[in-house]
Amino acid sequence: MFIEKLKSLLGSELVSASESELYRHSKDESFHQPVEPDIICFPESTDDVVKIMQVANEFNVSVTPYGAGSGLEGQAIPVNKGITINFERMNKVIDFSPEDLTITIQPGITRSELNEVSNRQGLIFPIDPGADATIGGMVATNASGTTAVRYGSMRDQVLDLEIVLASGKVIRTGTKAKKSSSGYHLSGLFTGSEGTLGIITGISLRLHGIPEHTIAARCTFDTLSACAEAAQTILQCGIQVLRMELVDDKSIAAVNAYGNYDIPVAHSLFFEFAGTKVGVEEEAKLAEEVMRELGCNNWEDASTSKERSQLWTARHEIAYAYRHVKGVAVTGADVCVPISKLPEMVDYARLLIEESGLNGGILGHVGDGNFHTLVSFNPTIPSEQTKAEYTNEALTFRAIELGGTCTGEHGVGLGKRKFQEAEHGAAIEVMKDIKQLLDPSNLLNPGKIFY
Amino acid sequence: MFIEKLKSLLGSELVSASESELYRHSKDESFHQPVEPDIICFPESTDDVVKIMQVANEFNVSVTPYGAGSGLEGQAIPVNKGITINFERMNKVIDFSPEDLTITIQPGITRSELNEVSNRQGLIFPIDPGADATIGGMVATNASGTTAVRYGSMRDQVLDLEIVLASGKVIRTGTKAKKSSSGYHLSGLFTGSEGTLGIITGISLRLHGIPEHTIAARCTFDTLSACAEAAQTILQCGIQVLRMELVDDKSIAAVNAYGNYDIPVAHSLFFEFAGTKVGVEEEAKLAEEVMRELGCNNWEDASTSKERSQLWTARHEIAYAYRHVKGVAVTGADVCVPISKLPEMVDYARLLIEESGLNGGILGHVGDGNFHTLVSFNPTIPSEQTKAEYTNEALTFRAIELGGTCTGEHGVGLGKRKFQEAEHGAAIEVMKDIKQLLDPSNLLNPGKIFY
């Protein structure tokens, strides 16, 4: 059967069906129901992946790619069982061209590993989703995070992908040129397709110069919508931020308790400005003036690395402050709306959480109009889960009504399938046709994006 | 027959088969062989376009979209005759949201019309391909131009498209959110598809703030490769340019003669820096230092609007200086390569032109690694055309070998089809499958991109 075939083709050291590996590959960071694969393969090359696809075709078995398991919508959960491909042995740099600000890597390299290599040449890969995800996983979900307001999302960084198609054929989707008007934009199509159209085995990315100087800052406002309006004003003034994050008072309280911080418990904006020293100081000063004019409290800034890290560390720990509580599950929305709709949306989010009676907070990348709710519930009490889910659904359908999207950066996976029809309408049929075209036997990460 | 049906469905004032209109719609700015359509439709709404597609299906007639006729690869030439759709009556602003820095328009609005509307609110649509193209045409070819080094290309500006599919169904490809990880990236797929996958009837775009201050500058180097290396150094230093253009000595001589200018006849770099006053002055000063260190001559800069325009006007006229000579046709490459390959590529381009014995120049958007050759030939002498074409082909195949693309911004149309196999390899089959999926009867702009 297919497990034997995989062992004979790849060698038994590249496959595992041990209990601990099956468990590890049954889940991600989300609350979605775990499912164990039948077997996990650890390919070392594109050729190995081609062999896996050949076996998958021969035995009609599902294939689910797995990066670091840090996904938030169940993309790595093999709902139809079958073969999981773990890319941890495909984590090499293939070609690094600092003079072109580009690098070609295998998909299993993590964000921090990529930055270690890049930093040595004065370059960074700036996309920062928080987790130390693999780059393959980040391409698959079109991840972004706190720096998207400056650098865009993963799709904006991808120059070229090597893809193993469902048929086992290998294609390249782009070139190493910075721009192109040749052929159809397959790089954009495969980025964000969550392993449902093909398997990513190579990635060429843009890199960026490390900014010369950075200033961090934080301030608070009396209401959540005042924070959102202030963020909008920053953008309208053309002030260049590297990061601009909204965090509500509940989340500040949660992270104060979790990390023993002492941050003013109020609705807050966190900033980072980066560029040349003169330019950054000008931006930060201008931002402070604008914020004070809008009535902010507690403006605090820092330009030394240690102070900066103090100002920001808490922000990075908020998700943990919610997620890592024993006996508690967390669900959350990932809406992104036109920036002018942000004030009413954050107020609506707060209202929904209040009405649910559950503990929850709001935080997000407000420079993009993208924010999350984090709602904690006891998974053994069905009514709590129902209420938590309701806050997501009401908020997300409202975001779609206002011209926004159900997912700004986490991807669709299992949890956002229910919003696809409302968001995409008739375009869903085109998407399903493309899926059918490229994966006629539905072998590639089945059950994701579409029902 | 289909012409009568169109007249009855649209009203006879929205269709024309007059000699002058047939002639106008037979060609673009390229040297490709003109072909007249059977009829031209001037839809006023998406509904009109749907009706046209229904007639096209019923009578199995080709449909070719036409914007401003400023294309350079024959995309608007109806090689199979049939129906040409001219979008000049679909040139309205549908929804302008300055607070979101977004605008929704019909495809027939031109770049300058769009900027007139945007500028009133302190915003710009910065993509500048030179010609006053329609935005629909610019989306269709993924156009870019002198500002792509700062703002990217059209695909980076498109948030959402309304598309009439070959079937006559209408879909929307995105939302008005600044980023999304939902579904497949259809906005990217339709952008740059040159009307071969669907007809663009609505476009939501990002806008940008007008920079507070701008400085223009120009300098010369002894060799073309020294210019290319200097451009590369600017990028590596992280100096933010708004535009950075290379122009060779032949092109300077040509434009001096054409426009009665008196610019130093030498290989030149043209710069524009834009941002806050302090920041821009810092960038321009740094650039000057770097250029002088690299041995540039004739550094000249200007910050008043009049002087700036003098420094740059000539650059914008170079294409005309070559194209608008009686009895002469012009062909040219549109290669884009990794920036480190630029010095050898411009030297190779110069060599190819010399060897051809024809008159020709080199200019381009070197901040992106994108440059053009402009080679003049007498179209009545077949051997001249052969030689001119050979310079293109040799240069373009070399660009592809070096990891580049056959077209950085003009699109494939008719002229770059011969490079598709070399550039995309097995991915061509995927592209053709997508074309077949979305346009099974090959009604939409047939003969473009693929043979």
Side-chain angles (χ1 to χ4, degrees):
Chain A
M1 77 98 125
F2 73 92
I3 294 184
E4 294 316 310
K5 187 81 181 253
L6 285 169
K7 282 183 181 165
S8 79
L9 278 174
L10 299 177
S12 57
E13 73 286 5
L14 296 191
V15 296
S16 172
S18 77
E19 222 172 281
S20 62
E21 289 292 17
L22 292 176
Y23 175 72
R24 172 160 80 108
H25 293 87
S26 69
K27 59 190 180 52
D28 63 5
E29 289 276 322
S30 72
F31 69 100
H32 298 296
Q33 190 65 39
V35 178
E36 293 187 350
D38 292 311
I39 191 166
I40 303 109
C41 297
F42 297 86
E44 293 180 322
S45 67
T46 301
D47 269 2
D48 287 346
V49 177
V50 171
K51 287 176 192 160
I52 295 167
M53 272 322 304
Q54 284 162 351
V55 174
N57 273 289
E58 190 182 337
F59 293 90
N60 198 32
V61 182
S62 300
V63 173
T64 303
Y66 181 98
S70 56
L72 293 171
E73 285 301 351
Q75 285 94 344
I77 300 175
V79 292
N80 282 12
K81 301 185 69 70
I83 305 164
T84 283
I85 305 184
N86 180 317
F87 285 95
E88 65 191 28
R89 296 194 196 192
M90 285 181 72
N91 66 345
K92 308 291 180 300
V93 173
I94 304 292
D95 181 30
F96 183 18
S97 181
E99 65 278 21
D100 292 313
L101 286 80
T102 60
I103 194 166
T104 301
I105 52 172
Q106 291 183 312
I109 195 170
T110 67
R111 188 170 63 85
S112 64
E113 287 164 355
L114 172 59
N115 269 311
E116 242 172 69
V117 175
S118 308
N119 291 173
R120 275 181 233 136
Q121 301 289 335
L123 300 174
I124 47 165
F125 181 72
I127 308 303
D128 180 2
D132 192 18
T134 63
I135 301 300
M138 288 170 66
V139 173
T141 53
N142 188 32
S144 47
T146 50
T147 61
V149 63
R150 166 77 62 96
Y151 295 102
S153 54
M154 283 304 289
R155 199 175 274 127
D156 302 301
Q157 318 306 317
V158 171
L159 295 171
D160 190 17
L161 298 173
E162 182 186 79
I163 300 280
V164 176
L165 297 172
S167 63
K169 260 196 206 160
V170 182
I171 63 165
R172 271 186 38 233
T173 61
T175 69
K176 288 187 181 173
K178 268 183 72 184
K179 64 180 197 184
S180 173
S181 287
S182 184
Y184 298 145
H185 191 47
L186 300 183
S187 298
L189 184 65
F190 283 95
T191 302
S193 67
E194 304 186 6
T196 63
L197 298 180
I199 298 174
I200 301 164
T201 51
I203 304 161
S204 294
L205 292 170
R206 293 170 200 270
L207 298 173
H208 300 265
I210 299 178
E212 179 194 314
H213 192 69
T214 306
I215 294 178
R218 200 168 59 203
C219 69
T220 66
F221 284 92
D222 292 339
T223 67
L224 211 49
S225 54
C227 280
E229 280 159 20
Q232 196 185 330
T233 308
I234 291 280
L235 296 175
Q236 277 166 9
C237 293
I239 299 173
Q240 301 292 317
V241 293
L242 172 66
R243 310 180 202 248
M244 180 163 65
E245 297 282 302
L246 173 130
V247 184
D248 76 343
D249 56 357
K250 305 274 178 195
S251 302
I252 299 279
V255 80
N256 274 348
Y258 174 80
N260 208 14
Y261 295 101
D262 189 24
I263 304 170
V265 178
H267 304 306
S268 307
L269 284 176
F270 287 61
F271 294 97
E272 217 165 82
F273 308 93
T276 61
K277 190 158 186 299
V278 177
V280 166
E281 283 168 354
E282 196 188 13
E283 304 279 5
K285 196 163 150 282
L286 195 56
E288 180 179 353
E289 279 169 24
V290 172
M291 292 301 97
R292 289 201 190 277
E293 221 162 87
L294 293 173
C296 82
N297 308 305
N298 302 302
W299 176 274
E300 207 186 335
D301 59 32
S303 65
T304 71
S305 158
K306 195 181 154 201
E307 291 170 328
R308 272 206 328 267
S309 132
Q310 277 175 356
L311 264 174
W312 269 84
T313 317
R315 164 63 190 90
H316 290 128
E317 286 182 6
I318 293 171
Y320 295 102
Y322 282 99
R323 283 184 203 286
H324 292 191
V325 177
K326 248 208 139 71
V328 157
V330 173
T331 180
D334 174 32
V335 293
C336 187
V337 294
I339 194 88
S340 66
K341 311 295 185 196
L342 203 56
E344 72 172 275
M345 278 299 283
V346 292
D347 278 347
Y348 185 51
R350 195 65 260 165
L351 178 74
L352 285 166
I353 296 171
E354 302 298 340
E355 286 181 352
S356 74
L358 298 169
N359 184 35
I362 294 166
L363 71 164
H365 319 312
V366 287
D368 301 311
N370 180 208
F371 74 92
H372 308 297
T373 50
L374 285 165
V375 181
S376 308
F377 63 94
N378 183 332
T380 64
I381 305 176
S383 69
E384 285 208 359
Q385 174 149 0
T386 306
K387 282 179 192 161
E389 284 290 313
Y390 175 75
T391 66
N392 281 353
E393 286 179 22
L395 187 67
T396 305
F397 282 118
R398 184 79 187 120
I400 293 169
E401 273 171 33
L402 293 174
T405 176
C406 67
T407 170
E409 54 182 14
H410 296 167
V412 177
L414 300 168
K416 300 291 188 275
R417 290 177 299 180
K418 57 187 157 196
F419 305 114
Q420 294 299 290
E421 190 72 34
E423 179 164 337
H424 300 294
I428 279 285
E429 292 312 313
V430 174
M431 295 181 194
K432 284 185 175 169
D433 287 348
I434 291 174
K435 166 71 176 172
Q436 169 72 19
L437 173 73
L438 289 173
D439 181 23
S441 306
N442 197 24
L443 300 178
L444 296 171
N445 210 359
K448 310 301 159 60
I449 302 184
F450 315 108
Y451 285 112
Chain B
M1 77 100 124
F2 72 92
I3 294 183
E4 295 317 309
K5 187 82 181 251
L6 285 169
K7 282 182 181 164
S8 79
L9 277 175
L10 299 178
S12 56
E13 72 286 4
L14 296 190
V15 297
S16 172
S18 76
E19 224 173 280
S20 63
E21 289 292 15
L22 292 177
Y23 175 72
R24 170 161 82 109
H25 293 87
S26 68
K27 58 189 181 53
D28 62 5
E29 289 277 321
S30 73
F31 68 99
H32 298 294
Q33 190 65 41
V35 179
E36 292 187 351
D38 292 310
I39 191 165
I40 303 109
C41 297
F42 297 86
E44 294 181 322
S45 67
T46 301
D47 269 1
D48 287 345
V49 177
V50 170
K51 286 177 192 158
I52 295 167
M53 271 322 303
Q54 283 161 353
V55 174
N57 272 289
E58 190 181 336
F59 294 88
N60 199 32
V61 182
S62 300
V63 173
T64 303
Y66 182 98
S70 56
L72 293 171
E73 285 299 353
Q75 285 94 343
I77 300 175
V79 291
N80 283 13
K81 300 184 70 71
I83 305 163
T84 283
I85 305 183
N86 180 317
F87 285 96
E88 65 191 28
R89 296 196 196 191
M90 284 180 72
N91 66 345
K92 309 290 180 301
V93 172
I94 304 293
D95 180 31
F96 183 18
S97 182
E99 65 277 22
D100 292 313
L101 288 80
T102 60
I103 194 164
T104 301
I105 53 173
Q106 290 183 313
I109 195 170
T110 67
R111 187 170 63 85
S112 64
E113 288 165 354
L114 172 57
N115 269 311
E116 242 172 70
V117 175
S118 309
N119 291 173
R120 274 181 234 137
Q121 301 289 333
L123 300 175
I124 47 164
F125 181 72
I127 307 303
D128 180 2
D132 193 18
T134 63
I135 301 299
M138 289 171 66
V139 173
T141 54
N142 188 32
S144 49
T146 49
T147 60
V149 63
R150 166 78 61 96
Y151 295 103
S153 54
M154 283 304 290
R155 199 174 275 128
D156 302 301
Q157 319 306 319
V158 170
L159 295 171
D160 190 17
L161 298 172
E162 183 186 78
I163 300 281
V164 176
L165 296 172
S167 63
K169 259 195 207 163
V170 182
I171 62 165
R172 271 186 38 234
T173 62
T175 70
K176 289 188 180 172
K178 268 183 72 184
K179 63 179 198 185
S180 174
S181 287
S182 184
Y184 299 146
H185 191 47
L186 299 184
S187 298
L189 184 65
F190 283 95
T191 302
S193 68
E194 304 186 6
T196 63
L197 298 180
I199 297 174
I200 301 165
T201 51
I203 305 163
S204 294
L205 292 170
R206 293 169 199 271
L207 298 172
H208 301 264
I210 298 178
E212 176 194 316
H213 193 69
T214 305
I215 294 177
R218 199 168 62 203
C219 68
T220 67
F221 284 91
D222 293 338
T223 66
L224 210 49
S225 54
C227 279
E229 280 159 21
Q232 197 184 330
T233 308
I234 290 281
L235 296 176
Q236 277 165 9
C237 293
I239 298 173
Q240 301 292 317
V241 293
L242 173 65
R243 308 178 204 250
M244 180 164 63
E245 297 282 302
L246 173 129
V247 184
D248 75 344
D249 55 358
K250 306 274 178 194
S251 303
I252 299 279
V255 81
N256 273 349
Y258 173 82
N260 208 15
Y261 295 102
D262 189 26
I263 304 170
V265 179
H267 304 305
S268 306
L269 283 178
F270 286 62
F271 295 97
E272 217 165 83
F273 308 93
T276 62
K277 190 160 187 299
V278 177
V280 167
E281 283 168 354
E282 195 188 16
E283 304 278 5
K285 196 161 152 283
L286 195 56
E288 180 179 354
E289 279 169 24
V290 171
M291 292 301 97
R292 290 203 189 275
E293 220 162 88
L294 293 173
C296 83
N297 308 305
N298 303 302
W299 176 274
E300 208 185 333
D301 59 32
S303 66
T304 72
S305 158
K306 196 181 154 204
E307 291 171 326
R308 273 205 328 267
S309 132
Q310 277 176 355
L311 264 173
W312 269 84
T313 315
R315 164 63 190 91
H316 290 129
E317 286 182 6
I318 293 171
Y320 294 102
Y322 282 99
R323 283 184 202 286
H324 292 191
V325 178
K326 245 205 139 76
V328 157
V330 172
T331 179
D334 173 32
V335 293
C336 186
V337 293
I339 194 88
S340 66
K341 311 296 185 194
L342 203 56
E344 72 171 276
M345 278 299 284
V346 292
D347 278 348
Y348 185 51
R350 196 64 260 164
L351 177 74
L352 285 167
I353 296 171
E354 303 297 341
E355 286 180 353
S356 75
L358 298 168
N359 184 34
I362 295 166
L363 70 164
H365 318 311
V366 287
D368 301 311
N370 180 207
F371 73 92
H372 308 296
T373 51
L374 285 166
V375 180
S376 307
F377 62 95
N378 183 331
T380 64
I381 305 176
S383 69
E384 285 208 1
Q385 174 149 1
T386 306
K387 283 178 191 162
E389 284 290 312
Y390 174 76
T391 65
N392 280 354
E393 286 180 20
L395 187 68
T396 304
F397 281 120
R398 184 79 188 119
I400 293 170
E401 275 171 32
L402 293 175
T405 176
C406 66
T407 171
E409 55 183 13
H410 296 167
V412 176
L414 300 168
K416 299 291 186 276
R417 291 177 298 180
K418 56 187 160 197
F419 306 114
Q420 293 299 290
E421 189 73 35
E423 179 164 335
H424 300 294
I428 280 285
E429 293 311 314
V430 175
M431 294 180 194
K432 285 185 176 168
D433 287 348
I434 291 175
K435 166 71 175 171
Q436 168 71 22
L437 173 74
L438 289 173
D439 182 23
S441 306
N442 197 24
L443 300 177
L444 295 171
N445 210 359
K448 310 301 159 60
I449 304 183
F450 315 108
Y451 285 111

